[in-house]
């Protein structure tokens, strides 16, 4: 090597390639989030002209039970506008839940095994149906019972005239509480399917689960015994449904494994 020649250094490999997959995933996630936001916005714009009608539908369980000569009121200046606006936005979000969950599914599906995809898609669909079922149960079963109690339990000289914004916050809390509570079968199945626990272990802990259901009912619902009980009892029944689903799937898996062993000529131990 002459004095003017410099030593040959190995080529520098850029480190950007290491982060390329992560960047691609983040870009994909951003695109799915933007599409979800656009769908929610489109649903909101489509529902907004009917915002007052939506509020009348949601408030019907209480308005039907108000004493004669009384009505709902707005105690704040902006409540006549903000209450229907808020309800329309939440309704648009509820309506877009299937599409949002589909975007979540399409993002995580490539990283799942084939047998996981067979289970994940039914679980996703079941979670949507159960969430809506919880909201419907709250509207048609819970609301008439608790509002009938509230409107008749007060002093006779007190006129029941509920503020529209307070009512909306109350019912949205119940919608969310019952929608989440109805996801118990899916949560129970996932716990068993992933091996975190077993059906037998959950069955042995049934008394503690019943107590836990009533505690959750106390925390998620307003401070009255009726709504707490109406949330706790379905939670317990849905827990039992989750155990039944787990047992059925486990038996099906055992039968399929036994059939595979028999076809391959493997003798059971």
């Amino acid at each position: 090597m002459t004095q003017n020649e410099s030593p040959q250094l190995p080529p520098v490999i850029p480190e950007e390639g290491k982060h390329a997959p992560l960047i691609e995933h983040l870009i994909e996630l951003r695109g799915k989030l933007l599409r979800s936001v656009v769908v929610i916005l489109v649903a909101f714009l489509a529902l907004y002209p009917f915002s007052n009608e939506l509020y009348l539908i949601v408030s019907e369980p209480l308005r039907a039970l108000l004493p004669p000569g009384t009505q709902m009121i707005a105690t704040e200046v902006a409540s006549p506008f903000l209450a229907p606006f808020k309800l329309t936005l939440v309704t648009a979000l509820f309506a877009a839940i299937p599409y949002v969950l589909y975007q979540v599914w399409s993002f995580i599906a490539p990283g799942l095994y084939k047998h996981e995809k067979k289970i994940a898609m039914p679980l996703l669909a079941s979670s949507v149906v159960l969430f809506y079922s919880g909201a419907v149960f709250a509207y048609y079963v819970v609301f008439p019972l608790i509002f009938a109690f509230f409107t008749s339990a007060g002093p006779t000289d007190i006129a029941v005239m509920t503020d529209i914004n307070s009512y909306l916050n109350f019912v949205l809390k119940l919608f969310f509480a019952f929608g989440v509570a109805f996801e118990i079968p899916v949560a129970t199945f996932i716990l068993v399917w992933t091996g975190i626990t077993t059906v037998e272990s959950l069955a042995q802990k049934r008394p503690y689960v019943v107590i836990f259901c009533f505690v959750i009912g106390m925390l998620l619902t307003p401070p009255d015994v009726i709504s707490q009980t109406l949330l706790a009892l379905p939670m317990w029944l849905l827990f039992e449904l989750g155990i039944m689903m787990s047992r059925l799937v486990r038996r099906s898996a055992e039968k399929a494994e036994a059939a595979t062993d028999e076809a391959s000529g493997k003798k059971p131990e």
Side-chain angles (χ1 to χ4, degrees):
M1 179 183 299
T2 63
Q3 185 176 1
N4 296 331
E5 292 181 355
S6 59
Q8 296 293 328
L9 298 177
V12 179
I13 301 176
E15 296 184 358
E16 296 179 357
K18 298 180 180 179
H19 304 285
L22 176 60
I23 294 175
E24 291 176 2
H25 288 313
L26 291 177
I27 293 174
E28 181 184 3
L29 179 61
R30 183 188 64 178
K32 295 184 181 302
L33 290 175
L34 289 176
R35 284 193 289 270
S36 300
V37 171
V38 169
V39 169
I40 294 173
L41 181 60
V42 170
F44 171 77
L45 294 176
L47 292 172
Y48 183 73
F50 311 99
S51 57
N52 291 332
E53 288 77 4
L54 285 174
Y55 193 91
L56 291 177
I57 293 174
V58 171
S59 62
E60 175 62 23
L62 176 62
R63 292 188 297 105
L65 296 170
L66 288 175
T70 60
Q71 60 184 356
M72 299 183 70
I73 60 175
T75 59
E76 299 177 0
V77 176
S79 291
F81 166 75
L82 291 180
F85 182 90
K86 180 179 178 180
L87 175 60
T88 306
L89 183 60
V90 174
T91 304
L93 179 60
F94 274 32
I97 282 178
Y99 181 82
V100 174
L101 291 180
Y102 172 76
Q103 293 298 316
V104 174
W105 160 255
S106 63
F107 180 74
I108 65 175
L112 299 178
Y113 293 105
K114 186 176 180 180
H115 69 281
E116 292 175 338
K117 292 181 181 179
K118 291 181 179 179
I119 297 293
M121 196 58 185
L123 285 178
L124 188 64
S126 300
S127 64
V128 174
V129 173
L130 288 171
F131 186 86
Y132 286 151
S133 299
V136 171
F137 179 83
Y139 182 83
Y140 286 103
V141 178
V142 179
F143 289 179
L145 292 176
I146 62 175
F147 293 148
F149 172 76
F150 289 157
T151 54
S152 62
T156 55
D157 295 335
I158 301 299
V160 180
M161 302 179 72
T162 306
D163 175 62
I164 59 174
N165 195 46
S166 299
Y167 173 83
L168 179 61
N169 293 333
F170 180 85
V171 298
L172 288 181
K173 183 178 180 180
L174 286 179
F175 277 137
F176 179 77
F178 278 86
V180 172
F182 271 56
E183 300 292 335
I184 287 181
V186 175
T188 304
F189 178 82
I190 291 176
L191 289 175
V192 175
W193 180 52
T194 55
I196 296 176
T197 186
T198 61
V199 175
E200 292 75 15
S201 177
L202 289 176
Q204 292 175 358
K205 295 179 175 62
R206 184 176 284 110
Y208 303 101
V209 172
V210 174
I211 297 175
F212 177 76
C213 290
F214 277 92
V215 171
I216 295 299
M218 178 183 65
L219 295 175
L220 294 182
T221 59
D224 65 279
V225 178
I226 297 177
S227 58
Q228 293 172 6
T229 304
L230 289 175
L231 178 59
L233 289 180
M235 287 176 64
W236 171 53
L237 295 176
L238 291 168
F239 167 76
E240 299 293 340
L241 177 61
I243 291 180
M244 292 175 56
M245 290 170 51
S246 301
R247 284 175 175 166
L248 291 175
V249 172
R250 185 179 65 177
R251 289 174 184 173
S252 300
E254 290 175 351
K255 290 181 180 179
E257 184 178 356
T260 303
D261 293 343
E262 183 178 355
S264 61
K266 181 180 178 181
K267 295 183 180 179
E269 297 180 358

